Amino acid sequence: MEKPKNLSVEQSPETEQARDNARKKHCLALIEAALYVAGRPLDINELCQVIGSRSKKRAMTYVEALIEEYKASSKALEILALKNERFVLQVKAEFTPLIKKLVNRPLLSSGPLKTLSYIAYRQPLSQKRVIEVRGQHAYGHIKMLKDMGLIMSERSGRTLALRTTDYFSDYFGLTTDTSIMKKDLKKIFGEALREDLVERQRAESEQSSQKDNSKQA
């Protein structure tokens, strides 16, 4: 009686499954490492590059599996799916207040931070208005904030309208919904907003006094 031929290692279903599992585990680790190192949202195309695949479907499958792993664990971190097929690794909301003092952001000095808070809280508004309230030095602030990708300008008639970007929301952990965002902005930019309000009131008072003086003259 002829003995059945043994399947080669390459042809063994068990070996193929083990190989697929190993590849999946490796890809999950690559995606996790990429999200951690990036410190910002990565889109699906970037994740495809990370795992060395052209298949967005495959990359999406892996990242969704990783999201579920994080949900099932008791880690302080989570992976969130953002709009436009972007994903970010961040601290869970309930832990944010406890570690807020250790966060290095925002990496902005007082001046640019005040200009950014003014734009964010009152957006969209004209660049001219920002300069009127914040002064000529705000031109440099606006350029810096644009270079950082925190704000953008849009042509509105003869003027430039300034507004924050999606990256601004990601950077400060805010929603892209402007109405909800403005409530959260008070928590982040509270002091800057208060100082800005005082400066704005003083500027408006000076402008009013100048108009009164010109009328009397």
Side-chain angles (χ1 to χ4, degrees):
M1 182 176 179
E2 186 178 356
K3 295 181 179 181
K5 295 181 180 180
N6 292 328
L7 292 174
S8 65
V9 174
E10 290 75 16
Q11 295 175 328
S12 170
E14 292 79 7
T15 302
E16 287 294 330
Q17 184 176 358
R19 183 180 299 173
D20 290 342
N21 290 338
R23 173 172 174 73
K24 178 182 178 180
K25 186 176 180 180
H26 179 64
C27 287
L28 293 182
L30 285 175
I31 292 173
E32 182 180 34
L35 290 171
Y36 175 81
V37 172
R40 62 174 177 83
L42 298 179
D43 62 35
I44 196 64
N45 291 320
E46 291 174 307
L47 294 180
C48 282
Q49 294 177 6
V50 168
I51 64 174
S53 173
R54 295 181 180 180
S55 173
K56 291 184 180 181
K57 183 177 180 180
R58 176 177 296 175
M60 188 69 74
T61 298
Y62 287 148
V63 74
E64 287 176 350
L66 193 59
I67 288 174
E68 292 304 315
E69 281 190 13
Y70 269 76
K71 286 182 178 179
S73 72
S74 58
K75 295 180 180 180
L77 302 177
E78 63 181 349
I79 298 176
L80 293 182
L82 308 175
K83 69 177 184 178
N84 298 326
E85 296 184 325
R86 297 180 305 143
F87 303 90
V88 64
L89 174 64
Q90 64 180 32
V91 176
K92 290 179 179 177
E94 60 263 34
F95 294 103
T96 301
L98 304 176
I99 63 169
K100 189 174 182 179
K101 292 182 179 180
L102 301 177
V103 179
N104 292 325
R105 298 175 185 177
L107 301 177
L108 294 169
S109 58
S110 177
L113 182 59
K114 290 179 182 179
T115 300
L116 176 60
S117 67
Y118 181 77
I119 294 170
Y121 198 70
R122 295 168 178 81
Q123 64 179 308
L125 79 166
S126 69
Q127 178 171 298
K128 179 181 178 182
R129 180 58 179 165
V130 176
I131 303 303
E132 288 176 351
V133 174
R134 296 288 300 129
Q136 294 296 312
H137 55 274
Y139 279 115
H141 298 168
I142 291 171
K143 182 180 185 306
M144 177 192 297
L145 297 171
K146 282 184 177 180
D147 291 343
M148 292 180 68
L150 296 173
I151 65 171
M152 60 180 290
S153 60
E154 299 173 331
R155 179 62 63 178
S156 179
R158 295 182 179 180
T159 63
L160 286 176
L162 300 176
R163 64 169 65 247
T164 57
T165 62
D166 287 343
Y167 177 61
F168 166 83
S169 301
D170 297 336
Y171 190 84
F172 290 101
L174 298 168
T175 175
T176 54
D177 186 311
T178 305
S179 60
I180 299 176
M181 178 198 298
K182 289 183 178 181
K183 295 179 182 178
D184 295 334
L185 284 173
K186 290 183 179 180
K187 300 176 183 178
I188 298 176
F189 299 125
E191 187 61 32
L193 285 171
R194 284 190 292 272
E195 291 179 7
D196 173 69
L197 178 60
V198 173
E199 291 180 6
R200 183 160 57 92
Q201 290 174 339
R202 183 171 60 247
E204 291 175 350
S205 177
E206 290 176 355
Q207 289 177 2
S208 178
S209 296
Q210 290 174 1
K211 288 180 180 179
D212 290 340
N213 291 335
S214 62
K215 288 180 180 179
Q216 292 176 2

